[in-house]
Amino acid sequence: MKITFLGTGTSQGVPIINCDCQVCSSLDFRDKRLRCSVHIETEDTHIIIDTGPDFRQQVLRERIPDLDAVLLTHEHKDHIAGLDDIRGYNFSLNKSIDVFGRDQVIERLKIEFPYAFEGNYVGKPKINTHTLNGKPFHIGNTKVVPIDGLHGEMPCFGFRINDFTYITDMNQLPETEWPKIAGSKILVLNALHHQPHYSHFTLKEALELAKNLGVKETYFTHMSHHMGLHSSVNAGLPMGINLAYDGLKLHL
Ligand SMILES: [Zn+2]
Ligand SMILES: [Zn+2]
Ligand SMILES: [Zn+2]
């Protein structure tokens, strides 16, 4: 299984428009963060979690040749805005793409992309939506386990795919969900920055949760420019915990 971080930034991305802080001005490629997304290639499937506004640029950069399914964590714009560009795969591979999300996410797609759900316009994105009820499901032979948390007041799904668990945009992960993560070899958690936030884990909260979950290899994502320079923040993290960066590839 191969995992590629397509984007690791918070909703505005990093750098932020009109900001000249040291992170936004940094020349380190690891301080340039597109909106959050990850590509997972298993033996028989290509899966992408979230299609934010940078989706097209991300799949072009990583030359992702195929796509079977999109898993949507929640309906915020920075996680769904790029779904229209799924057309690139519809046209080149001559197939529809399966899109999975909870009821309120699928309903949101109907508002954001009404043309994808009506008529027979040839240029429309071709998606097959699947409503998740929280139960595990399969994409090809690959098992996916939804993990249910809260993003402020909004429900948000994390996903476990084999021994890889990806959790973004949460600030609460009930202990009842922890057994679903147990035994994962790689864990991704969102960590926005240092100051408390109503809908995201801070770095300190993410570190505490990572310790409690006990996964040996943990990466943080969905970072804002207030997190600080990648090189200096990463150097101060405990062993086995790292900040992710755009383009980072992991093998499992
Ligand atoms: Zn987000
Ligand atoms: Zn900045
Ligand atoms: Zn969000």
Side-chain angles (χ1 to χ4, degrees):
M1 190 160 107
K2 184 175 149 196
I3 295 139
T4 304
F5 286 86
L6 300 178
T8 59
T10 189
S11 60
Q12 292 191 76
V14 181
I16 282 183
I17 292 170
N18 276 340
C19 182
D20 56 6
C21 78
Q22 63 165 355
V23 174
C24 291
S25 320
S26 167
L27 296 177
D28 186 340
F29 71 95
R30 296 168 303 174
D31 287 317
K32 300 186 187 308
R33 303 186 187 277
L34 297 178
R35 269 58 72 90
C36 254
S37 179
V38 69
H39 171 246
I40 299 132
E41 185 178 354
T42 68
E43 267 178 22
D44 65 337
T45 55
H46 286 267
I47 299 168
I48 284 180
I49 304 181
D50 291 330
T51 50
D54 302 315
F55 171 69
R56 173 178 169 276
Q57 185 183 345
Q58 291 165 327
V59 296
L60 285 171
R61 184 191 75 212
E62 299 297 337
R63 296 176 178 274
I64 292 170
D66 197 354
L67 184 58
D68 297 295
V70 171
L71 311 183
L72 297 174
T73 57
H74 66 301
E75 64 269 38
H76 277 157
K77 209 66 162 195
D78 57 319
H79 297 259
I80 65 167
L83 190 64
D84 182 80
D85 283 316
I86 210 84
R87 291 176 301 145
Y89 290 105
N90 293 148
F91 302 153
S92 63
L93 304 172
N94 194 27
K95 68 176 183 184
S96 295
I97 307 296
D98 290 316
V99 176
F100 297 80
R102 74 171 72 236
D103 193 30
Q104 73 185 61
V105 175
I106 304 298
E107 288 310 307
R108 191 71 216 169
L109 296 182
K110 291 177 185 166
I111 296 166
E112 299 279 347
F113 308 98
Y115 53 91
F117 295 88
E118 58 201 29
N120 281 320
Y121 162 57
V122 288
K124 73 176 190 176
K126 291 184 184 61
I127 56 174
N128 302 320
T129 55
H130 303 271
T131 304
L132 297 178
N133 56 9
K135 295 210 177 85
F137 59 100
H138 282 82
I139 298 165
N141 294 319
T142 302
K143 186 179 177 188
V144 181
V145 180
I147 296 160
D148 215 354
L150 277 176
H151 178 31
E153 290 178 359
M154 181 178 281
C156 182
F157 274 138
F159 296 102
R160 178 173 181 168
I161 299 169
N162 297 331
D163 287 335
F164 172 71
T165 298
Y166 181 84
I167 286 171
T168 188
D169 291 59
M170 281 189 200
N171 67 326
Q172 288 181 61
L173 179 63
E175 275 189 52
T176 47
E177 296 296 284
W178 294 8
K180 295 179 184 172
I181 299 165
S184 294
K185 295 202 172 93
I186 297 177
L187 170 68
V188 179
L189 288 177
N190 64 299
L192 186 66
H193 50 226
H194 305 275
Q195 296 303 315
H197 192 273
Y198 74 101
S199 67
H200 285 280
F201 293 126
T202 62
L203 178 62
K204 197 173 158 210
E205 288 164 346
L207 281 166
E208 180 71 20
L209 181 59
K211 195 174 129 201
N212 288 332
L213 292 171
V215 179
K216 278 213 179 95
E217 198 176 339
T218 298
Y219 296 85
F220 293 152
T221 192
H222 211 293
M223 287 163 273
S224 91
H225 62 159
H226 295 308
M227 179 63 95
L229 291 170
H230 181 100
S231 55
S232 50
V233 176
N234 201 57
L237 295 179
M239 211 157 71
I241 300 184
N242 286 283
L243 302 186
Y245 54 85
D246 291 23
L248 173 64
K249 292 175 183 61
L250 306 171
H251 296 268
L252 246 185

